[in-house]
């Protein structure tokens, strides 16, 4: 019986932490996902507050996920790695 080598090269910088939260359709939400919750936001880990936060261009402060937005009212529309055009559009840390 022969075996196929089914390995894939993974860019370690694209591995993200699961938040443990689910969106409106039941999909798990990960760090760096882009969500549509009324407006579009990006999920980040906040070291200072040890909490998941939502960021968006135009917001002065990050908003705590769950406090600012119920995850079950959000829909995942992509992530910053597979959809860089959305990252440039919504990430407040990106240059205009």
């Amino acid at each position: 019986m022969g075996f196929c080598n089914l390995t894939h090269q993974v860019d370690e910088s694209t591995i993200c932490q699961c938040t443990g939260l689910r969106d409106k359709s039941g999909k798990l939400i990960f760090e760096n996902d882009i969500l549509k919750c009324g407006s579009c936001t990006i999920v980040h880990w906040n070291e200072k507050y040890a909490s998941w936060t939502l960021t968006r261009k135009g917001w002065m402060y990050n908003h705590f996920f769950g406090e600012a937005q119920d995850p079950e009212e959000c829909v995942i529309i992509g992530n910053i790695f597979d959809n860089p055009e959305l990252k440039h559009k919504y990430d407040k840390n990106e240059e205009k």
Side-chain angles (χ1 to χ4, degrees):
M1 180 187 315
F3 289 96
C4 269
N5 185 1
L6 298 176
T7 61
H8 296 279
Q9 187 73 24
V10 175
D11 179 353
E12 291 181 15
S13 69
T14 65
I15 299 172
C16 298
Q17 178 71 39
C18 179
T19 65
L21 304 170
R22 293 183 183 270
D23 76 351
K24 188 182 239 178
S25 62
K27 290 174 60 177
L28 283 169
I29 300 170
F30 285 80
E31 174 184 23
N32 295 313
D33 274 351
I34 301 169
L35 307 177
K36 180 146 181 70
C37 314
S39 59
C40 291
T41 62
I42 300 176
V43 179
H44 290 287
W45 178 252
N46 185 306
E47 289 284 330
K48 181 177 179 182
Y49 297 107
S51 179
W52 294 108
T53 57
L54 300 175
T55 63
R56 186 176 90 96
K57 277 187 179 174
W59 286 358
M60 182 178 290
Y61 302 104
N62 295 341
H63 295 269
F64 293 109
F65 203 2
E67 177 184 291
Q69 194 66 51
D70 182 353
E72 293 178 355
E73 295 175 3
C74 299
V75 176
I76 299 168
I77 60 169
N79 64 61
I80 65 170
F81 305 109
D82 297 333
N83 311 95
E85 72 284 358
L86 295 176
K87 179 184 182 202
H88 297 304
K89 187 173 182 179
Y90 299 115
D91 192 349
K92 75 177 193 176
N93 298 318
E94 287 286 309
E95 292 184 25
K96 294 181 180 183

